[in-house]
Amino acid sequence: MLFGRIDHIGVAVTDIDAALRLYAEQFDMREQHRERVEEQGVEAVLFEVGDGHVELIEPLSEDTGVGKFIAKNGPGLHHVAYATDDIDQALDAVRDAGLQLIDKQPRRGIRDSRVAFLHPKSTGGVLTEIVEPAH
Amino acid sequence: MLFGRIDHIGVAVTDIDAALRLYAEQFDMREQHRERVEEQGVEAVLFEVGDGHVELIEPLSEDTGVGKFIAKNGPGLHHVAYATDDIDQALDAVRDAGLQLIDKQPRRGIRDSRVAFLHPKSTGGVLTEIVEPAH
């Protein structure tokens, strides 16, 4: 089994404090964590839903990946992340399967996770993240 | 708790049999179910990942919701679905919270589930589905 579960969906937002209200108040999800993730150029908030999360991401500037995404598509679904216990092994497996990687090596993600993104060109237009949560 | 978990992500595809290979072979996910869902104008395949799913959806024609989505955005992430044990109660709750519904009443979804969509205008651009799986 390459992936254990859907770890989270990533939602691009222009105003994270406004977006918070939808998930916290209208959807009644519990806010779990907030962090400025410089490595990804975002301010991020995690909401708990079952054993997965909704990750709201507001770009720190227009020239970040998420900033460019919003300029092109508007706010909305940005990526899906699948959880693995061993991201090095998972990256080897998807590389061997012929998929194109954005991150050849895992890098630091939110809450000290290790993450890597696959290129949407090889995943049917879906920006796909692999995440190994911190142990 | 309004939603129990992320039930699935919906991925719009132009050729479901080509897309199958990515999830079955390169991502090593188990194909769980295939169905033509006339009510939603799609051919759909479910892949298992943890207690959730990836739902591939290929439009049955260009004038369906998913057909129009692909014409505008290309293939990719289409919606997220949250699971509930009681969709009638969940719909009342989101309506009372001021959210705009596409489906005022639940309708039939894949595998005899009951589903309803919220309007992306009131959910930050994210097409959001509520699903009560068949018991």
Side-chain angles (χ1 to χ4, degrees), chain A residues 43-80:
Chain A
E43 174 86 10
V45 172
L46 291 177
F47 285 91
E48 184 178 60
V49 51
D51 60 359
H53 311 95
V54 174
E55 182 187 61
L56 303 184
I57 42 179
E58 178 187 326
L60 297 178
S61 67
E62 286 179 9
D63 63 351
T64 58
V66 179
K68 291 174 191 166
F69 174 89
I70 290 177
K72 185 175 172 197
N73 305 287
L77 278 175
H78 178 261
H79 66 271
V80 60

Side-chain angles (χ1 to χ4, degrees), chain A residues 76-111:
Chain A
L77 278 175
H78 178 261
H79 66 271
V80 60
Y82 300 110
T84 176
D85 290 333
D86 185 339
I87 195 169
D88 300 293
Q89 191 176 28
L91 269 188
D92 283 347
V94 296
R95 187 190 293 112
D96 291 349
L99 295 179
Q100 192 179 336
L101 310 181
I102 293 176
D103 300 304
K104 291 190 175 60
Q105 299 295 330
R107 55 197 172 100
R108 187 188 169 280
I110 195 167
R111 284 198 296 190

Side-chain angles (χ1 to χ4, degrees), chain A residues 6 8 14-15 23 34 38 43 52 99 111 113 115 119:
Chain A
I6 297 174
H8 66 264
T14 50
D15 178 346
Y23 289 89
R34 181 168 184 147
E38 298 281 355
E43 174 86 10
L99 295 179
R111 284 198 296 190
S113 56
V115 305
H119 201 291

Side-chain angles (χ1 to χ4, degrees), chain A residues 1-13 22-23 25-30 48-54 73 75-80 82 93-94 97-99 118 122-128, chain B residues 1-13 22-23 25-30 48-54 73 75-80 82 93-94 97-99 118 122-128:
Chain A
M1 201 69 68
L2 189 55
F3 304 133
R5 65 172 194 281
I6 297 174
D7 183 81
H8 66 264
I9 54 159
V11 175
V13 304
L22 169 66
Y23 289 89
E25 293 171 21
Q26 297 177 294
F27 282 169
D28 193 27
M29 291 183 189
R30 190 173 75 83
E48 184 178 60
V49 51
D51 60 359
H53 311 95
V54 174
N73 305 287
L77 278 175
H78 178 261
H79 66 271
V80 60
Y82 300 110
V94 296
L99 295 179
L118 310 185
S122 63
T123 51
V126 177
L127 180 59
T128 302
Chain B
M1 201 67 68
L2 189 56
F3 303 133
R5 64 170 195 282
I6 297 174
D7 184 81
H8 66 264
I9 54 157
V11 175
V13 304
L22 169 66
Y23 289 89
E25 294 171 21
Q26 297 177 293
F27 281 169
D28 194 28
M29 291 183 190
R30 189 173 74 83
E48 185 177 61
V49 53
D51 60 359
H53 311 95
V54 175
N73 305 288
L77 277 176
H78 178 261
H79 66 270
V80 60
Y82 299 109
V94 295
L99 296 178
L118 310 185
S122 61
T123 51
V126 177
L127 180 59
T128 302

Side-chain angles (χ1 to χ4, degrees), chain B:
Chain B
M1 201 67 68
L2 189 56
F3 303 133
R5 64 170 195 282
I6 297 174
D7 184 81
H8 66 264
I9 54 157
V11 175
V13 304
T14 51
D15 178 346
I16 207 163
D17 290 302
L20 280 181
R21 286 194 291 276
L22 169 66
Y23 289 89
E25 294 171 21
Q26 297 177 293
F27 281 169
D28 194 28
M29 291 183 190
R30 189 173 74 83
E31 183 178 330
Q32 215 173 30
H33 183 75
R34 182 168 183 146
E35 183 178 336
R36 188 181 172 100
V37 189
E38 298 281 356
E39 293 87 341
Q40 293 178 34
V42 294
E43 175 86 11
V45 172
L46 291 177
F47 285 90
E48 185 177 61
V49 53
D51 60 359
H53 311 95
V54 175
E55 182 187 62
L56 302 184
I57 42 179
E58 178 187 325
L60 297 177
S61 67
E62 286 179 10
D63 63 352
T64 58
V66 179
K68 290 173 191 166
F69 174 89
I70 291 177
K72 185 177 172 197
N73 305 288
L77 277 176
H78 178 261
H79 66 270
V80 60
Y82 299 109
T84 175
D85 290 334
D86 186 339
I87 195 170
D88 300 293
Q89 193 177 25
L91 269 188
D92 283 347
V94 295
R95 187 190 294 112
D96 291 348
L99 296 178
Q100 192 180 337
L101 310 180
I102 293 177
D103 301 304
K104 291 190 175 59
Q105 299 295 330
R107 55 197 172 100
R108 188 189 169 281
I110 196 167
R111 285 197 296 189
D112 289 324
S113 57
R114 298 173 71 215
V115 304
F117 283 85
L118 310 185
H119 201 292
K121 275 185 192 169
S122 61
T123 51
V126 177
L127 180 59
T128 302
E129 177 184 357
I130 304 176
V131 55
E132 180 187 308
H135 298 290

